[in-house]
Amino acid sequence: MTTARAPRARRTARGEPRPVDWGEYAAAVHRWEVITGRAAPYPTQPGRHGRPVLAPPFVEWLMGLPPGWVTAGHLDLPRTAQLRALGNGVMPQQAARALRHLLDDLTHLHRPSCQPPASPPPRDRRSRASRPSRADSGVTHPPGTAQATPAVRTRRSDPRKRR
């Protein structure tokens, strides 16, 4: 067992990342590599305390952004700012899909002027006389209270009269 660990330890000491075991996600990672046309970057990098932390180039790759979109050296962004920008960003594929749905909806809503507008929904054919009046609508008020008249309601809602 010690012979298997020594080469790996030397590789990481020299800064060479070891191969990633994607486990159950291997098929998805491979599929995304084929779609994006580039290999998956290493998912972690050493943090300030030597422990692995999430690598911004990996997040950039996951989102389908071109290399260096946020992680380019000339931008001079710290790792946390890069991750914040990526986290607040939108995947281009998702934005394109949303725009396609919006344009489809707008296309279906658009009616050429030569077509008559859609007929309004059928109205209730009952006459006003057959409808119950407001007083008979079954709404009861506590004893000793009266329903406000429209004039009183208007005065109550007038913003100029408020103090």
Side-chain angles (χ1 to χ4, degrees), residues 75-96:
L75 295 175
D76 199 28
L77 291 173
R79 178 186 159 275
T80 54
Q82 291 173 358
L83 289 174
R84 185 175 294 123
L86 290 165
N88 289 331
V90 175
M91 289 183 63
Q93 297 84 355
Q94 187 177 11

Side-chain angles (χ1 to χ4, degrees), residues 4-94:
R5 290 187 184 183
R8 188 181 329 167
R10 272 189 248 124
R11 265 199 315 255
T12 42
R14 288 185 299 215
E16 297 174 20
R18 61 180 188 241
V20 178
D21 177 20
W22 297 106
E24 63 182 286
Y25 303 107
V29 169
H30 177 68
R31 187 172 45 249
W32 194 238
E33 285 175 332
V34 170
I35 290 170
T36 60
R38 61 187 176 118
Y42 206 71
T44 60
Q45 65 189 35
R48 283 190 271 169
H49 303 292
R51 290 181 298 230
V53 293
L54 183 62
F58 179 68
V59 177
E60 195 173 59
W61 175 81
L62 281 174
M63 292 181 72
L65 297 169
W69 187 260
V70 174
T71 59
H74 71 275
L75 295 175
D76 199 28
L77 291 173
R79 178 186 159 275
T80 54
Q82 291 173 358
L83 289 174
R84 185 175 294 123
L86 290 165
N88 289 331
V90 175
M91 289 183 63
Q93 297 84 355
Q94 187 177 11

